Amino acid sequence: MDSSHTFSRCIRESAERIAESGPAALAGLYDLAARRLVRYAIAITRNQHDAEDAVQAALVRVADSPRLLGRADQPWPYLLRMVRNESLVILRRKRRWTSLVNLADLLTRRGVDEVEREETYRQVWAALRTLPTEQSEVVVLKIWESMTFLQIAEVLDASPSTVASRYRYAMEKLARSLGRSMPSDAPQASPLLSSPLRPGGGR
Amino acid sequence: MTDHDAGRDGSTDARGDREPLDITAIEAMIAASGDYVFPSDDLRPRVLEAARERFCLRRTWWHLAGAMVAATLCVCCGVSLSNRLQARAESAAMPRGQELDRRIVDRGAESGESRDWALAEIVGDWRDELAGRVGDGEANSRPTATNRRTE
């Protein structure tokens, strides 16, 4: 069973607790998923405040009808889809001008041993913001959520081959932009992420 | 070689002066920067408060809807009962005016009595009828005005 299924089970349990105990139990779901949801919403809205609004709207909806989430086949992709929908609504409502490389809206945190990596992180986030939303959200779901192309396709309501293509183009763009801006001591690939890029193939 | 081709095969970037990174290294960099951004501190209480307010609003709405349904039922029952009582009261009322006059004339013509006796018998019959409606057996067994006179 992959991590997505395990996480989905935790989300389902949280939803069931909310259904039993009321909105006070929403804290458990928040602690479990908020960080990942905000991260995903930022990839869509490109603004932290809008992303947090989207996550808040989605979680309030969950508290309103927790059984919908609890009965979903895959609660985690279902929740991601809720956040995506809320993000797109906010995005449509607030077509605002934003500088693509400006990260001033982001709230960041780094450990004491990560000072020298902070610049890398900032470059990565800035590079992600230069991608079209369709590509950046695929990257977020693929790398940060460790989802397969098939799972991502379900979240985005697109075909797996389309998702794989978006991912490939995104990585090509990121490779170019980060290759220009990164120092030579870039971190090495982890075994988890060492799968080759193949359009149409899931992990 | 185009810029696109350069990115795909990993050779020198056409516009840059540095080679593009390989895909696995990019994936590792992105994975490492995933925890760099975090939600603001006030998001958690904001979400919980919004959910609680929505819950209270919804509960209030349900209570209000329940009260409105109960009130509607009460009004319907009240109107129905009132109509029935009114119909019953109207049917049990002593005849008046022209209706009473017509009955007196009919009764007088039927039994050859004077108007006064005819009125007395009509009133007596009306009282007996009322007693019967209430379900008073004793009233039912009481002799009518006509019977009393016969006796």
Side-chain angles (χ1 to χ4, degrees):
Chain A
M1 185 180 287
D2 63 25
S3 60
S4 179
H5 282 91
T6 310
F7 196 66
S8 271
R9 203 178 60 224
C10 297
I11 295 287
R12 190 192 305 280
E13 287 169 2
S14 293
E16 285 166 359
R17 271 198 296 276
I18 294 168
E20 288 167 8
S21 313
L26 185 64
L29 182 61
Y30 179 93
D31 295 337
L32 194 65
R35 187 168 188 164
R36 295 166 73 162
L37 293 175
V38 167
R39 192 170 61 182
Y40 176 51
I42 288 173
I44 299 172
T45 61
R46 296 158 190 274
N47 181 280
Q48 174 139 7
H49 306 299
D50 291 345
E52 292 186 352
D53 286 348
V55 170
Q56 175 178 336
L59 290 179
V60 168
R61 277 181 187 276
V62 168
D64 216 23
S65 323
R67 293 189 197 283
L68 283 179
L69 181 63
R71 288 174 186 159
D73 290 337
Q74 293 293 326
W76 176 230
Y78 186 88
L79 189 54
L80 285 171
R81 213 158 40 231
M82 288 180 74
V83 169
R84 180 174 189 262
N85 291 340
E86 295 293 344
S87 300
L88 292 176
V89 167
I90 288 174
L91 204 60
R92 265 184 238 120
R93 208 164 45 207
K94 296 181 179 176
R95 281 282 177 202
R96 67 171 73 184
W97 180 88
T98 50
S99 169
L100 292 176
V101 292
N102 182 9
L103 303 177
D105 60 288
L106 294 183
L107 282 168
T108 58
R109 181 179 290 162
R110 56 169 166 72
V112 287
D113 55 340
E114 292 179 323
V115 176
E116 49 197 45
R117 290 188 180 176
E118 185 175 10
E119 188 56 32
T120 307
Y121 297 157
R122 295 188 69 81
Q123 296 287 354
V124 167
W125 277 89
L128 279 173
R129 284 196 168 185
T130 63
L131 296 177
T133 303
E134 300 84 36
Q135 293 177 7
S136 62
E137 62 181 338
V138 171
V139 171
V140 168
L141 294 175
K142 177 74 177 160
I143 297 181
W144 287 337
E145 301 306 332
S146 304
M147 296 174 90
T148 64
F149 288 137
L150 194 62
Q151 290 170 326
I152 296 171
E154 285 172 10
V155 172
L156 303 185
D157 201 17
S159 71
S161 57
T162 303
V163 169
S165 296
R166 287 178 188 171
Y167 184 69
R168 181 164 56 87
Y169 287 131
M171 295 312 288
E172 286 173 358
K173 288 178 188 171
L174 289 172
R176 283 199 296 277
S177 60
L178 291 173
R180 276 198 296 274
S181 58
M182 282 296 107
S184 56
D185 58 341
Q188 295 301 306
S190 65
L192 179 69
L193 299 164
S194 59
S195 60
L197 284 171
R198 283 193 299 273
R203 187 181 291 164
Chain B
M1 182 185 298
T2 64
D3 186 35
H4 188 73
D5 292 333
R8 186 166 292 177
D9 63 16
S11 62
T12 307
D13 185 58
R15 289 176 298 174
D17 52 4
R18 199 185 287 270
E19 280 191 2
L21 299 173
D22 69 89
I23 298 301
T24 51
I26 294 292
E27 285 180 328
M29 283 166 57
I30 296 170
S33 59
D35 290 334
Y36 182 56
V37 172
F38 65 97
S40 57
D41 289 337
D42 69 328
L43 181 61
R44 191 176 193 272
R46 215 168 65 201
V47 168
L48 297 180
E49 179 64 19
R52 196 185 61 78
E53 276 179 12
R54 177 82 170 256
F55 180 77
C56 290
L57 195 68
R58 194 170 172 173
R59 197 173 51 186
T60 305
W61 193 91
W62 275 110
H63 286 169
L64 200 65
M68 283 179 71
V69 168
T72 306
L73 282 175
C74 283
V75 167
C76 288
C77 290
V79 167
S80 171
L81 188 66
S82 165
N83 286 343
R84 290 187 65 175
L85 287 176
Q86 192 174 355
R88 192 165 177 166
E90 280 174 3
S91 68
M94 170 74 191
R96 293 163 186 263
Q98 289 184 342
E99 172 67 14
L100 180 60
D101 212 35
R102 188 183 59 76
R103 287 195 185 187
I104 291 170
V105 171
D106 289 349
R107 192 66 172 251
E110 188 181 306
S111 59
E113 294 167 338
S114 67
R115 284 181 64 89
D116 294 340
W117 272 116
L119 176 61
E121 285 184 355
I122 286 170
V123 171
D125 289 346
W126 172 71
R127 290 182 61 184
D128 292 341
E129 187 184 337
L130 274 188
R133 282 189 184 181
V134 172
D136 187 352
E138 190 182 346
N140 281 338
S141 65
R142 265 170 42 194
T144 63
T146 310
N147 293 340
R148 279 197 301 273
R149 279 194 60 216
T150 309
E151 287 166 7

